Amino acid sequence: MTANTIEPGRRHAVESTGMKRILQLTLLVGLLAPGLLRAGGDEVVVVYNQNVPESRVVAEHYAQMRQVPKSQVFGFALTTDETMTRQDFRKDLQWPLAEKLEAKKIWRFGRVKVPGTNGAPDRTEARVVRSKIRYLVLCYGVPLKIQADANLQENIPPGVPTELQRNDAAVDSELTWLPLIKTTVPLYGPLNNPFYGVTNATLLNPTNGILLVARLDGPTAEIANHLVDKAVAAETNGLWGRAYFDARGLSETNTSYILGDQWMKAGAELCSAYGFETILDDRPETFPADFPMSQIAIYAGWYAGDADGPFAQPTVEFMPGAFAYHLYSYSAASLRTATQHWCGPLLAKGATVTMGCVNEPYLAGTPNVPIFLSRWIGAGFTFGEAAWAAQSSLSWQTTVVGDPLYRPFNKRPAVWNEEFMRTHNPLAEWSLLRMANLARNRGMPLAAVAQNLESMGRTAHSAGRTEKFADLCKEQGKPASAIDYYQRALTLNPSPEQRIRIRLELGGLLADQGDYAGAIANDKKLLQEDTGYLGRVNVGDARRKLESELAATNTLAK
């Protein structure tokens, strides 16, 4: 990996560590080869809260956008609180939903023989044997979590850790095993997900005991209502932009938490292998507020209690269809807030899909980031399929927010690129970057990558491609050419955060080349262009140091 000069030692541009390593990380066959399964609205049941008028509005809008049959949109009278009791969950939602699915002939239950394990005899269970649907969408107003029930008595086997002897859960996660409702399922602790890491999406089916549950939710009904609009738009044009990962720089001796860091680093490796411009932060702190995090397509990080850094600022540059996730025990303790926890603020800032935990899940009980990304991007799973394939536990604390049918990686990058080039789509700026990065991953020399990128399309009107040329020149040890390209990119209408990043890169290069006057002028322009830039103090300190260097140089020249 190569250091990024924005802040030496903190940010790293990620390069692929080799296809063999990526395949080991993801257990995938057919990298960048989306699967053949296509999900449609007829595979969805939509549930809304009859006591929240906006809930029905969200449900009907989703059903219209995804062409869900009206006979598969159900309303139930539920509490208007985000939390419901176990008793209310059973009598008002869980059992009424299962009964309606059976009565509408969406599900058919039957007797299934289950082989015994560890010497136990075979047994017969009542479970779903035929299903017309695979997905359940809960709409704004449907409660988020089930509170612990101290009166619920279960025979807990010896050896179960005390911290797992709990029966609280996310409503979403508790409904994933609805196909098994007529069997005896323990409610304490997490329930093993037998499809964790699955590479065949067709196995994620109620006939195998799992229902793919997601919700259209957020701080406001308006935000929830538009999640499907953003998903459909991104499916039409693909998901493009940059990928950011926030690890903590933990050492291998930190056995309690190293798994989280491994997930973030593996996720960064994957996105780099998939051709995304990828940045990995490996310091203990989260991304600072003044970090120029532009054009976010994918974000995953940990471990802060509330949205902070760039995500706490007034404007966040989420690309249409963006996925954003922050690993924290209570990241989804409430979705009705735009400032607390993580899921609510990320949705309020413009993310299209996210995941989170409503209560303490413990690290292994949170979604596996590289498995999610490999299934969603590499295998072409829907968001709902990828989210639950990445979850080791059901009946636990995870909530999945966004349209579960969302599938933006439904074409190979080369197909998108050919289409964009043919139709002169402005998104060709991004498809060309992915094609260049993929070529590099295959071993193409840097000079050839640059030449190939230029041959695939003009760069005169693209800030992104021109910035990429500058990056490639810099990496090849051609600072003069890199400076020229960065300066050109600044004239091509970069996004606000992209402009800051280019200015910082340009200033560093100018200073390295001894052009202190140029670096000082560049810093002044940065502060003029963004009067609210949170890194003003650091830029001012750097400029004063450069002014001292310039003065010393002029004195020596005399």
Side-chain angles (χ1 to χ4, degrees), residues 210-240:
I210 186 170
L211 180 62
L212 302 175
V213 185
R215 63 174 52 235
L216 304 175
D217 215 329
T220 67
E222 182 180 13
I223 289 172
N225 204 39
H226 288 310
L227 294 182
V228 64
D229 302 325
K230 293 192 288 187
V232 169
E235 282 181 346
T236 302
N237 295 302
L239 174 56
W240 307 96

PDB file of all heavy atoms in Angstrom, residues 210-240:
ATOM      1  N   ILE A 210     -35.419 -19.419   6.345  1.00  0.00           N
ATOM      2  CA  ILE A 210     -34.988 -18.030   6.521  1.00  0.00           C
ATOM      3  C   ILE A 210     -35.796 -17.092   5.623  1.00  0.00           C
ATOM      4  O   ILE A 210     -36.030 -17.375   4.446  1.00  0.00           O
ATOM      5  CB  ILE A 210     -33.476 -17.867   6.246  1.00  0.00           C
ATOM      6  CG1 ILE A 210     -33.017 -16.443   6.568  1.00  0.00           C
ATOM      7  CG2 ILE A 210     -33.120 -18.256   4.810  1.00  0.00           C
ATOM      8  CD1 ILE A 210     -31.509 -16.271   6.560  1.00  0.00           C
ATOM      9  N   LEU A 211     -36.238 -15.981   6.206  1.00  0.00           N
ATOM     10  CA  LEU A 211     -36.950 -14.915   5.503  1.00  0.00           C
ATOM     11  C   LEU A 211     -36.049 -13.686   5.493  1.00  0.00           C
ATOM     12  O   LEU A 211     -35.487 -13.318   6.533  1.00  0.00           O
ATOM     13  CB  LEU A 211     -38.263 -14.609   6.219  1.00  0.00           C
ATOM     14  CG  LEU A 211     -39.168 -13.519   5.652  1.00  0.00           C
ATOM     15  CD1 LEU A 211     -39.643 -13.866   4.255  1.00  0.00           C
ATOM     16  CD2 LEU A 211     -40.371 -13.312   6.579  1.00  0.00           C
ATOM     17  N   LEU A 212     -35.865 -13.058   4.346  1.00  0.00           N
ATOM     18  CA  LEU A 212     -34.960 -11.917   4.220  1.00  0.00           C
ATOM     19  C   LEU A 212     -35.712 -10.640   4.586  1.00  0.00           C
ATOM     20  O   LEU A 212     -36.539 -10.148   3.823  1.00  0.00           O
ATOM     21  CB  LEU A 212     -34.409 -11.836   2.793  1.00  0.00           C
ATOM     22  CG  LEU A 212     -33.665 -13.100   2.331  1.00  0.00           C
ATOM     23  CD1 LEU A 212     -33.263 -12.979   0.851  1.00  0.00           C
ATOM     24  CD2 LEU A 212     -32.451 -13.366   3.202  1.00  0.00           C
ATOM     25  N   VAL A 213     -35.402 -10.112   5.767  1.00  0.00           N
ATOM     26  CA  VAL A 213     -36.152  -8.984   6.339  1.00  0.00           C
ATOM     27  C   VAL A 213     -35.332  -7.701   6.269  1.00  0.00           C
ATOM     28  O   VAL A 213     -34.148  -7.685   6.623  1.00  0.00           O
ATOM     29  CB  VAL A 213     -36.538  -9.266   7.799  1.00  0.00           C
ATOM     30  CG1 VAL A 213     -37.418  -8.144   8.347  1.00  0.00           C
ATOM     31  CG2 VAL A 213     -37.239 -10.616   7.927  1.00  0.00           C
ATOM     32  N   ALA A 214     -35.954  -6.642   5.801  1.00  0.00           N
ATOM     33  CA  ALA A 214     -35.334  -5.319   5.805  1.00  0.00           C
ATOM     34  C   ALA A 214     -36.427  -4.298   6.073  1.00  0.00           C
ATOM     35  O   ALA A 214     -37.619  -4.613   6.013  1.00  0.00           O
ATOM     36  CB  ALA A 214     -34.630  -5.032   4.481  1.00  0.00           C
ATOM     37  N   ARG A 215     -36.012  -3.073   6.352  1.00  0.00           N
ATOM     38  CA  ARG A 215     -37.010  -2.033   6.644  1.00  0.00           C
ATOM     39  C   ARG A 215     -36.709  -0.752   5.887  1.00  0.00           C
ATOM     40  O   ARG A 215     -35.550  -0.432   5.596  1.00  0.00           O
ATOM     41  CB  ARG A 215     -37.090  -1.770   8.142  1.00  0.00           C
ATOM     42  CG  ARG A 215     -35.848  -1.235   8.796  1.00  0.00           C
ATOM     43  CD  ARG A 215     -36.091  -0.885  10.263  1.00  0.00           C
ATOM     44  NE  ARG A 215     -36.678  -1.970  11.015  1.00  0.00           N
ATOM     45  CZ  ARG A 215     -37.816  -1.860  11.722  1.00  0.00           C
ATOM     46  NH1 ARG A 215     -38.474  -0.706  11.749  1.00  0.00           N
ATOM     47  NH2 ARG A 215     -38.287  -2.880  12.392  1.00  0.00           N
ATOM     48  N   LEU A 216     -37.771  -0.040   5.552  1.00  0.00           N
ATOM     49  CA  LEU A 216     -37.687   1.306   4.994  1.00  0.00           C
ATOM     50  C   LEU A 216     -37.964   2.248   6.147  1.00  0.00           C
ATOM     51  O   LEU A 216     -39.111   2.423   6.562  1.00  0.00           O
ATOM     52  CB  LEU A 216     -38.703   1.494   3.871  1.00  0.00           C
ATOM     53  CG  LEU A 216     -38.620   0.488   2.722  1.00  0.00           C
ATOM     54  CD1 LEU A 216     -39.753   0.715   1.738  1.00  0.00           C
ATOM     55  CD2 LEU A 216     -37.282   0.577   2.015  1.00  0.00           C
ATOM     56  N   ASP A 217     -36.910   2.835   6.694  1.00  0.00           N
ATOM     57  CA  ASP A 217     -37.049   3.547   7.958  1.00  0.00           C
ATOM     58  C   ASP A 217     -36.055   4.690   7.997  1.00  0.00           C
ATOM     59  O   ASP A 217     -35.275   4.883   7.056  1.00  0.00           O
ATOM     60  CB  ASP A 217     -36.823   2.574   9.122  1.00  0.00           C
ATOM     61  CG  ASP A 217     -37.686   2.883  10.330  1.00  0.00           C
ATOM     62  OD1 ASP A 217     -37.985   4.075  10.543  1.00  0.00           O
ATOM     63  OD2 ASP A 217     -38.057   1.948  11.056  1.00  0.00           O
ATOM     64  N   GLY A 218     -36.083   5.447   9.076  1.00  0.00           N
ATOM     65  CA  GLY A 218     -35.155   6.546   9.223  1.00  0.00           C
ATOM     66  C   GLY A 218     -35.692   7.610  10.149  1.00  0.00           C
ATOM     67  O   GLY A 218     -36.753   7.441  10.774  1.00  0.00           O
ATOM     68  N   PRO A 219     -34.989   8.729  10.260  1.00  0.00           N
ATOM     69  CA  PRO A 219     -35.425   9.801  11.159  1.00  0.00           C
ATOM     70  C   PRO A 219     -36.789  10.371  10.818  1.00  0.00           C
ATOM     71  O   PRO A 219     -37.513  10.842  11.702  1.00  0.00           O
ATOM     72  CB  PRO A 219     -34.324  10.858  10.991  1.00  0.00           C
ATOM     73  CG  PRO A 219     -33.124  10.087  10.572  1.00  0.00           C
ATOM     74  CD  PRO A 219     -33.665   8.990   9.704  1.00  0.00           C
ATOM     75  N   THR A 220     -37.171  10.355   9.542  1.00  0.00           N
ATOM     76  CA  THR A 220     -38.469  10.870   9.109  1.00  0.00           C
ATOM     77  C   THR A 220     -39.096   9.918   8.103  1.00  0.00           C
ATOM     78  O   THR A 220     -38.407   9.125   7.453  1.00  0.00           O
ATOM     79  CB  THR A 220     -38.341  12.257   8.444  1.00  0.00           C
ATOM     80  OG1 THR A 220     -37.634  12.119   7.207  1.00  0.00           O
ATOM     81  CG2 THR A 220     -37.610  13.239   9.348  1.00  0.00           C
ATOM     82  N   ALA A 221     -40.400  10.029   7.960  1.00  0.00           N
ATOM     83  CA  ALA A 221     -41.104   9.214   6.966  1.00  0.00           C
ATOM     84  C   ALA A 221     -40.653   9.570   5.561  1.00  0.00           C
ATOM     85  O   ALA A 221     -40.591   8.704   4.675  1.00  0.00           O
ATOM     86  CB  ALA A 221     -42.614   9.415   7.106  1.00  0.00           C
ATOM     87  N   GLU A 222     -40.320  10.838   5.340  1.00  0.00           N
ATOM     88  CA  GLU A 222     -39.867  11.265   4.017  1.00  0.00           C
ATOM     89  C   GLU A 222     -38.570  10.562   3.634  1.00  0.00           C
ATOM     90  O   GLU A 222     -38.411  10.091   2.495  1.00  0.00           O
ATOM     91  CB  GLU A 222     -39.675  12.777   3.986  1.00  0.00           C
ATOM     92  CG  GLU A 222     -39.260  13.305   2.623  1.00  0.00           C
ATOM     93  CD  GLU A 222     -39.082  14.817   2.602  1.00  0.00           C
ATOM     94  OE1 GLU A 222     -39.041  15.419   3.702  1.00  0.00           O
ATOM     95  OE2 GLU A 222     -38.968  15.387   1.507  1.00  0.00           O
ATOM     96  N   ILE A 223     -37.644  10.487   4.573  1.00  0.00           N
ATOM     97  CA  ILE A 223     -36.381   9.792   4.311  1.00  0.00           C
ATOM     98  C   ILE A 223     -36.657   8.329   3.990  1.00  0.00           C
ATOM     99  O   ILE A 223     -36.118   7.770   3.024  1.00  0.00           O
ATOM    100  CB  ILE A 223     -35.438   9.928   5.519  1.00  0.00           C
ATOM    101  CG1 ILE A 223     -34.929  11.365   5.628  1.00  0.00           C
ATOM    102  CG2 ILE A 223     -34.266   8.953   5.416  1.00  0.00           C
ATOM    103  CD1 ILE A 223     -34.142  11.656   6.891  1.00  0.00           C
ATOM    104  N   ALA A 224     -37.505   7.700   4.799  1.00  0.00           N
ATOM    105  CA  ALA A 224     -37.838   6.291   4.571  1.00  0.00           C
ATOM    106  C   ALA A 224     -38.499   6.087   3.218  1.00  0.00           C
ATOM    107  O   ALA A 224     -38.220   5.104   2.516  1.00  0.00           O
ATOM    108  CB  ALA A 224     -38.757   5.795   5.690  1.00  0.00           C
ATOM    109  N   ASN A 225     -39.352   7.004   2.845  1.00  0.00           N
ATOM    110  CA  ASN A 225     -40.113   6.868   1.608  1.00  0.00           C
ATOM    111  C   ASN A 225     -39.216   6.929   0.374  1.00  0.00           C
ATOM    112  O   ASN A 225     -39.492   6.277  -0.645  1.00  0.00           O
ATOM    113  CB  ASN A 225     -41.173   7.971   1.533  1.00  0.00           C
ATOM    114  CG  ASN A 225     -42.332   7.601   0.638  1.00  0.00           C
ATOM    115  OD1 ASN A 225     -42.783   6.457   0.623  1.00  0.00           O
ATOM    116  ND2 ASN A 225     -42.828   8.571  -0.110  1.00  0.00           N
ATOM    117  N   HIS A 226     -38.131   7.699   0.456  1.00  0.00           N
ATOM    118  CA  HIS A 226     -37.276   7.901  -0.709  1.00  0.00           C
ATOM    119  C   HIS A 226     -36.189   6.839  -0.850  1.00  0.00           C
ATOM    120  O   HIS A 226     -35.441   6.857  -1.841  1.00  0.00           O
ATOM    121  CB  HIS A 226     -36.637   9.287  -0.662  1.00  0.00           C
ATOM    122  CG  HIS A 226     -37.609  10.399  -0.939  1.00  0.00           C
ATOM    123  ND1 HIS A 226     -38.458  10.395  -2.023  1.00  0.00           N
ATOM    124  CD2 HIS A 226     -37.866  11.559  -0.272  1.00  0.00           C
ATOM    125  CE1 HIS A 226     -39.198  11.494  -2.017  1.00  0.00           C
ATOM    126  NE2 HIS A 226     -38.856  12.213  -0.967  1.00  0.00           N
ATOM    127  N   LEU A 227     -36.073   5.928   0.105  1.00  0.00           N
ATOM    128  CA  LEU A 227     -35.018   4.919   0.008  1.00  0.00           C
ATOM    129  C   LEU A 227     -35.182   4.054  -1.242  1.00  0.00           C
ATOM    130  O   LEU A 227     -34.208   3.713  -1.911  1.00  0.00           O
ATOM    131  CB  LEU A 227     -34.994   4.054   1.268  1.00  0.00           C
ATOM    132  CG  LEU A 227     -34.600   4.766   2.566  1.00  0.00           C
ATOM    133  CD1 LEU A 227     -34.577   3.781   3.731  1.00  0.00           C
ATOM    134  CD2 LEU A 227     -33.249   5.459   2.425  1.00  0.00           C
ATOM    135  N   VAL A 228     -36.409   3.695  -1.561  1.00  0.00           N
ATOM    136  CA  VAL A 228     -36.625   2.872  -2.754  1.00  0.00           C
ATOM    137  C   VAL A 228     -36.375   3.677  -4.024  1.00  0.00           C
ATOM    138  O   VAL A 228     -35.864   3.147  -5.018  1.00  0.00           O
ATOM    139  CB  VAL A 228     -38.039   2.256  -2.761  1.00  0.00           C
ATOM    140  CG1 VAL A 228     -39.122   3.327  -2.852  1.00  0.00           C
ATOM    141  CG2 VAL A 228     -38.179   1.266  -3.910  1.00  0.00           C
ATOM    142  N   ASP A 229     -36.698   4.976  -4.018  1.00  0.00           N
ATOM    143  CA  ASP A 229     -36.444   5.818  -5.191  1.00  0.00           C
ATOM    144  C   ASP A 229     -34.953   5.857  -5.506  1.00  0.00           C
ATOM    145  O   ASP A 229     -34.538   5.720  -6.667  1.00  0.00           O
ATOM    146  CB  ASP A 229     -36.953   7.246  -4.943  1.00  0.00           C
ATOM    147  CG  ASP A 229     -38.435   7.291  -4.627  1.00  0.00           C
ATOM    148  OD1 ASP A 229     -39.178   6.475  -5.192  1.00  0.00           O
ATOM    149  OD2 ASP A 229     -38.845   8.140  -3.827  1.00  0.00           O
ATOM    150  N   LYS A 230     -34.153   6.035  -4.451  1.00  0.00           N
ATOM    151  CA  LYS A 230     -32.704   6.114  -4.649  1.00  0.00           C
ATOM    152  C   LYS A 230     -32.147   4.769  -5.096  1.00  0.00           C
ATOM    153  O   LYS A 230     -31.203   4.711  -5.903  1.00  0.00           O
ATOM    154  CB  LYS A 230     -32.037   6.613  -3.371  1.00  0.00           C
ATOM    155  CG  LYS A 230     -32.382   8.054  -3.033  1.00  0.00           C
ATOM    156  CD  LYS A 230     -31.521   8.631  -1.945  1.00  0.00           C
ATOM    157  CE  LYS A 230     -31.814   8.082  -0.581  1.00  0.00           C
ATOM    158  NZ  LYS A 230     -31.073   8.788   0.478  1.00  0.00           N
ATOM    159  N   ALA A 231     -32.716   3.694  -4.566  1.00  0.00           N
ATOM    160  CA  ALA A 231     -32.251   2.358  -4.960  1.00  0.00           C
ATOM    161  C   ALA A 231     -32.556   2.084  -6.430  1.00  0.00           C
ATOM    162  O   ALA A 231     -31.699   1.596  -7.169  1.00  0.00           O
ATOM    163  CB  ALA A 231     -32.913   1.303  -4.073  1.00  0.00           C
ATOM    164  N   VAL A 232     -33.763   2.403  -6.851  1.00  0.00           N
ATOM    165  CA  VAL A 232     -34.147   2.160  -8.245  1.00  0.00           C
ATOM    166  C   VAL A 232     -33.289   3.002  -9.185  1.00  0.00           C
ATOM    167  O   VAL A 232     -32.847   2.524 -10.241  1.00  0.00           O
ATOM    168  CB  VAL A 232     -35.649   2.462  -8.441  1.00  0.00           C
ATOM    169  CG1 VAL A 232     -36.000   2.469  -9.919  1.00  0.00           C
ATOM    170  CG2 VAL A 232     -36.493   1.442  -7.690  1.00  0.00           C
ATOM    171  N   ALA A 233     -33.024   4.259  -8.807  1.00  0.00           N
ATOM    172  CA  ALA A 233     -32.192   5.123  -9.647  1.00  0.00           C
ATOM    173  C   ALA A 233     -30.782   4.556  -9.785  1.00  0.00           C
ATOM    174  O   ALA A 233     -30.199   4.567 -10.878  1.00  0.00           O
ATOM    175  CB  ALA A 233     -32.143   6.533  -9.060  1.00  0.00           C
ATOM    176  N   ALA A 234     -30.219   4.053  -8.676  1.00  0.00           N
ATOM    177  CA  ALA A 234     -28.858   3.506  -8.722  1.00  0.00           C
ATOM    178  C   ALA A 234     -28.812   2.190  -9.493  1.00  0.00           C
ATOM    179  O   ALA A 234     -27.799   1.871 -10.117  1.00  0.00           O
ATOM    180  CB  ALA A 234     -28.325   3.318  -7.307  1.00  0.00           C
ATOM    181  N   GLU A 235     -29.888   1.424  -9.461  1.00  0.00           N
ATOM    182  CA  GLU A 235     -29.923   0.205 -10.271  1.00  0.00           C
ATOM    183  C   GLU A 235     -29.894   0.540 -11.757  1.00  0.00           C
ATOM    184  O   GLU A 235     -29.298  -0.184 -12.560  1.00  0.00           O
ATOM    185  CB  GLU A 235     -31.185  -0.594  -9.959  1.00  0.00           C
ATOM    186  CG  GLU A 235     -31.119  -1.373  -8.674  1.00  0.00           C
ATOM    187  CD  GLU A 235     -32.383  -2.168  -8.401  1.00  0.00           C
ATOM    188  OE1 GLU A 235     -33.397  -1.919  -9.058  1.00  0.00           O
ATOM    189  OE2 GLU A 235     -32.334  -3.031  -7.524  1.00  0.00           O
ATOM    190  N   THR A 236     -30.521   1.649 -12.115  1.00  0.00           N
ATOM    191  CA  THR A 236     -30.571   2.051 -13.518  1.00  0.00           C
ATOM    192  C   THR A 236     -29.193   2.454 -14.028  1.00  0.00           C
ATOM    193  O   THR A 236     -28.832   2.166 -15.177  1.00  0.00           O
ATOM    194  CB  THR A 236     -31.554   3.224 -13.691  1.00  0.00           C
ATOM    195  OG1 THR A 236     -32.848   2.825 -13.222  1.00  0.00           O
ATOM    196  CG2 THR A 236     -31.658   3.640 -15.155  1.00  0.00           C
ATOM    197  N   ASN A 237     -28.410   3.111 -13.167  1.00  0.00           N
ATOM    198  CA  ASN A 237     -27.123   3.658 -13.599  1.00  0.00           C
ATOM    199  C   ASN A 237     -25.918   3.040 -12.904  1.00  0.00           C
ATOM    200  O   ASN A 237     -24.780   3.418 -13.191  1.00  0.00           O
ATOM    201  CB  ASN A 237     -27.099   5.175 -13.352  1.00  0.00           C
ATOM    202  CG  ASN A 237     -28.113   5.912 -14.200  1.00  0.00           C
ATOM    203  OD1 ASN A 237     -28.080   5.828 -15.411  1.00  0.00           O
ATOM    204  ND2 ASN A 237     -29.034   6.620 -13.556  1.00  0.00           N
ATOM    205  N   GLY A 238     -26.149   2.115 -11.963  1.00  0.00           N
ATOM    206  CA  GLY A 238     -25.047   1.535 -11.214  1.00  0.00           C
ATOM    207  C   GLY A 238     -24.650   2.406 -10.033  1.00  0.00           C
ATOM    208  O   GLY A 238     -25.058   3.565  -9.918  1.00  0.00           O
ATOM    209  N   LEU A 239     -23.861   1.840  -9.146  1.00  0.00           N
ATOM    210  CA  LEU A 239     -23.340   2.577  -7.993  1.00  0.00           C
ATOM    211  C   LEU A 239     -21.872   2.903  -8.248  1.00  0.00           C
ATOM    212  O   LEU A 239     -21.045   2.010  -8.428  1.00  0.00           O
ATOM    213  CB  LEU A 239     -23.478   1.732  -6.719  1.00  0.00           C
ATOM    214  CG  LEU A 239     -22.845   2.312  -5.441  1.00  0.00           C
ATOM    215  CD1 LEU A 239     -23.402   3.701  -5.146  1.00  0.00           C
ATOM    216  CD2 LEU A 239     -23.075   1.372  -4.263  1.00  0.00           C
ATOM    217  N   TRP A 240     -21.562   4.191  -8.239  1.00  0.00           N
ATOM    218  CA  TRP A 240     -20.216   4.660  -8.571  1.00  0.00           C
ATOM    219  C   TRP A 240     -19.724   5.615  -7.503  1.00  0.00           C
ATOM    220  O   TRP A 240     -20.508   6.210  -6.778  1.00  0.00           O
ATOM    221  CB  TRP A 240     -20.215   5.357  -9.933  1.00  0.00           C
ATOM    222  CG  TRP A 240     -20.821   4.511 -11.002  1.00  0.00           C
ATOM    223  CD1 TRP A 240     -22.113   4.543 -11.451  1.00  0.00           C
ATOM    224  CD2 TRP A 240     -20.175   3.454 -11.716  1.00  0.00           C
ATOM    225  NE1 TRP A 240     -22.310   3.579 -12.411  1.00  0.00           N
ATOM    226  CE2 TRP A 240     -21.127   2.894 -12.599  1.00  0.00           C
ATOM    227  CE3 TRP A 240     -18.884   2.926 -11.719  1.00  0.00           C
ATOM    228  CZ2 TRP A 240     -20.838   1.848 -13.455  1.00  0.00           C
ATOM    229  CZ3 TRP A 240     -18.585   1.887 -12.574  1.00  0.00           C
ATOM    230  CH2 TRP A 240     -19.557   1.356 -13.438  1.00  0.00           C
TER     231      TRP A 240
END
